Amino acid sequence: MDSFEVNVMHYIKKQQLVDAGDRLLIACSGGVDSMGLLYFFHTVRTQLKIEIVVAHVDHMLRGEASATDRAFVEAFCAARNIQIHSTAIPVAQMHAKEGGNLQTICRRERYLFLEKIMGTARCTKLVTAHHADDQLETMLMSLAKGATIKGLQGMVVSRPFAQGKLIRPFLAVTKEQIASYLQSRGGTYREDASNAKDDYTRNRFRHHIIPLLVEENHHIATHAVQLASQLQQDDVYLMELAQGAYTRSVKKTAEIYTIDIHAFQSESPALQRRLILILLNYIYNDSSTLFSQSLLSSIYALFETTNGSATIHLPNHYMMQRAYDTVTVCPHKVYEERAVEVVTLNKWLNYGHIQLFVGTYIGQHDGECYYFQAKEVSFPLHIRTRQEGDRMQLANMTQAKRLSRLFIDCKVPLAERDSWPLLVDAEDEVLAVLGVRVNNKFSKCRRTEDDCVLIVRNAH
């Protein structure tokens, strides 16, 4: 076993990438990196006690050249009795139809195929040929685009994929070392002519930026892998701490997330950043591609003060709003106006986050009680959301107060004001901003003449 194989085997053992009995799906394009990967695992398969299967995808972007790549990989596998699954995908046609980024479509369709083969070929792990130079390029490209902490961590050596895992055992070695290894084995490969072009960001970094860095430090790619690993380990620990901070600071009701700014500010900046990322991941499942550093900076700025209100529009029709000491995150549709509902006497009614009861006194309950005389209001009563010009007559005030002002005084979050339930009578007089204030016809203490009660409680 030569030094290259010893190095990769040590990395596989250290990272616990391969287990005896694994059935590995090797993603092989036919290029120098993936052919080196295929040669390696074909050589050590007995020692590792594994089986290998190969998958190849022709993106049909280079005509006869890419078809020849497919034939080359198929011939290699046939000569060695290696099971192979290959396909051709008309990516150019897909791109013409749906637009967007060509490389993104390539990656999406390639991984969909690999996921399918993982199942049909009963493979436990997908193996890709990403190496140390790829890691360096990934980190630098992320930095150039305005990296988040997640972006600077580069690629992970192992992650869940399909019903198994995706592993990257070549992160321990450089492209130069892979090429040298393949040459020492008498191996051949196919050269993708598009790799020589500067059409893609990664190629520009590879051709113009990486060589300058290598001149300064020949081992820079290996150092990048070590740095990425350390950042990933640190982030795992800090994210565990941030989960505790999230529990202390964030409350969820239906589709609405509410963050207490004072609780948020009491956490360290490192946990604040991760708390936001946890929140975004809950909302979007994977937020890594949705948020630039500039947008994240705007979000962090929202938590720097409790003065006034502010709104940030997030991807996929979400909004984040600050009002006083609270930040609220929700989809726009949460605050669409609800239909008017008639209140049936002596029966509980749910309306959004509020439950209410209007009728005769019912004894023990867990809500807030307000007593009134039936003759003082016009039945039937209704629940609706606010309308322009709404006012309510409060006790001990000579003039009715505008609800817009009342919401501000009572610190009702800006995002929730348009959907907040109001109790009105048949003449559309506002009797109560439910859960906030009632008008002058109600009393917290039961008076002799009171024959009805309004009970309000939280529905959640």
Side-chain angles (χ1 to χ4, degrees):
M1 185 177 290
D2 66 17
S3 60
F4 178 89
E5 291 172 351
V6 170
N7 189 9
V8 177
M9 289 289 278
H10 174 73
Y11 190 69
I12 287 173
K13 182 178 180 180
K14 179 182 177 182
Q15 300 292 336
Q16 301 178 328
L17 299 182
V18 177
D19 300 306
D22 269 341
R23 187 170 168 87
L24 304 183
L25 180 62
I26 311 295
C28 183
S29 67
V32 62
D33 304 334
S34 61
M35 286 306 297
L37 185 72
L38 183 50
Y39 264 94
F40 170 80
F41 276 105
H42 184 255
T43 301
V44 302
R45 68 191 186 285
T46 303
Q47 183 177 346
L48 288 174
K49 300 178 182 178
I50 59 169
E51 298 178 64
I52 62 171
V53 178
V54 172
H56 174 87
V57 177
D58 172 8
H59 298 109
M60 301 176 70
L61 293 174
R62 295 180 293 113
E64 186 62 30
S66 60
T68 304
D69 292 347
R70 179 180 181 181
F72 168 78
V73 176
E74 289 174 340
F76 178 93
C77 293
R80 292 160 180 79
N81 198 30
I82 301 172
Q83 181 182 342
I84 180 170
H85 298 263
S86 61
T87 189
I89 301 175
V91 171
Q93 294 179 25
M94 294 179 177
H95 183 246
K97 182 178 180 179
E98 61 185 81
N101 183 281
L102 182 65
Q103 291 302 302
T104 299
I105 297 173
C106 285
R107 186 182 189 281
R108 180 192 70 199
E109 295 301 317
R110 181 169 65 251
Y111 276 91
L112 284 174
F113 175 73
L114 293 172
E115 183 176 355
K116 176 184 175 183
I117 301 305
M118 280 279 286
T120 58
R122 296 175 289 105
C123 293
T124 53
K125 285 161 186 171
L126 170 65
V127 191
T128 65
H130 294 112
H131 47 71
D133 299 81
D134 291 325
Q135 186 72 297
L136 175 60
E137 293 164 4
T138 299
M139 295 169 73
L140 290 175
M141 287 191 298
S142 180
L143 182 63
K145 289 189 294 185
T148 63
I149 294 173
K150 197 73 173 177
L152 283 177
Q153 294 172 24
M155 297 177 286
V156 294
V157 65
S158 173
R159 66 173 176 84
F161 181 78
Q163 73 276 17
K165 290 183 177 180
L166 183 155
I167 61 173
R168 299 182 171 104
F170 271 13
L171 285 182
V173 292
T174 64
K175 188 179 186 72
E176 182 182 13
Q177 290 170 327
I178 297 170
S180 178
Y181 169 72
L182 189 59
Q183 184 180 22
S184 71
R185 292 286 173 175
T188 56
Y189 61 92
R190 293 280 298 172
E191 189 66 63
D192 184 344
S194 66
N195 288 336
K197 300 178 181 178
D198 282 347
D199 295 351
Y200 305 120
T201 303
R202 186 174 290 275
N203 284 1
R204 293 194 292 274
F205 273 78
R206 184 173 297 166
H207 298 155
H208 305 293
I209 297 174
I210 303 299
L212 294 176
L213 297 174
V214 172
E215 284 183 16
E216 295 295 326
N217 183 347
H218 188 68
H219 302 290
I220 188 170
T222 302
H223 293 164
V225 171
Q226 293 169 350
L227 175 61
S229 178
Q230 292 167 4
L231 290 173
Q232 291 164 14
Q233 292 167 5
D234 290 350
D235 193 52
V236 168
Y237 175 66
L238 288 170
M239 286 297 281
E240 290 176 358
L241 297 180
Q243 284 287 353
Y246 180 91
T247 302
R248 292 188 292 272
S249 305
V250 183
K251 305 298 178 186
K252 184 174 185 290
T253 303
E255 296 180 89
I256 304 172
Y257 296 83
T258 304
I259 306 100
D260 182 276
I261 295 178
H262 296 298
F264 179 89
Q265 291 175 342
S266 69
E267 306 293 346
S268 71
L271 297 188
Q272 290 177 6
R273 291 193 299 269
R274 288 167 174 82
L275 189 156
I276 293 300
L277 294 177
I278 291 171
L279 172 63
L280 296 176
N281 280 328
Y282 278 140
I283 296 171
Y284 295 102
N285 294 321
D286 179 10
S287 62
S288 58
T289 59
L290 292 173
F291 291 86
S292 65
Q293 187 58 51
S294 61
L295 182 52
L296 287 172
S297 296
S298 298
I299 292 173
Y300 300 145
L302 209 62
F303 291 86
E304 292 177 353
T305 179
T306 57
N307 294 328
S309 59
T311 301
I312 296 176
H313 292 280
L314 304 178
N316 300 343
H317 310 294
Y318 271 81
M319 60 197 299
M320 179 176 283
Q321 296 184 315
R322 183 189 69 229
Y324 307 105
D325 54 2
T326 301
V327 170
T328 304
V329 186
C330 64
H332 289 283
K333 66 182 180 64
V334 167
Y335 298 114
E336 292 175 355
E337 184 174 328
R338 295 177 61 108
V340 174
E341 291 194 29
V342 178
V343 177
T344 302
L345 295 179
N346 295 307
K347 184 178 180 180
W348 284 99
L349 172 67
N350 289 336
Y351 192 93
H353 67 285
I354 291 291
Q355 285 185 332
L356 79 155
F357 174 94
V358 178
T360 55
Y361 185 67
I362 60 173
Q364 287 294 110
H365 56 80
D366 58 355
E368 290 289 329
C369 271
Y370 304 94
Y371 302 97
F372 67 100
Q373 298 178 58
K375 67 180 182 180
E376 293 293 324
V377 301
S378 301
F379 290 93
L381 307 185
H382 301 80
I383 303 180
R384 64 167 173 82
T385 53
R386 72 169 177 170
Q387 298 173 357
E388 185 67 31
D390 271 340
R391 294 172 178 268
M392 186 166 72
Q393 185 65 55
L394 301 177
N396 302 318
M397 290 189 66
T398 56
Q399 293 187 344
K401 187 164 188 172
R402 288 185 295 116
L403 291 196
S404 57
R405 186 69 247 175
L406 180 66
F407 279 132
I408 293 172
D409 292 346
C410 295
K411 296 189 176 181
V412 174
L414 178 64
E416 301 179 32
R417 294 172 190 172
D418 286 339
S419 64
W420 202 276
L422 310 179
L423 180 65
V424 300
D425 68 6
E427 297 178 3
D428 210 30
E429 179 184 359
V430 178
L431 303 177
V433 177
L434 293 171
V436 179
R437 295 289 296 273
V438 293
N439 78 359
N440 61 350
K441 295 178 180 179
F442 294 80
S443 171
K444 287 285 289 181
C445 298
R446 190 174 187 181
R447 299 161 297 193
T448 304
E449 62 273 21
D450 290 332
D451 53 5
C452 286
V453 65
L454 162 67
I455 305 173
V456 181
R457 67 188 182 193
N458 199 309
H460 305 289

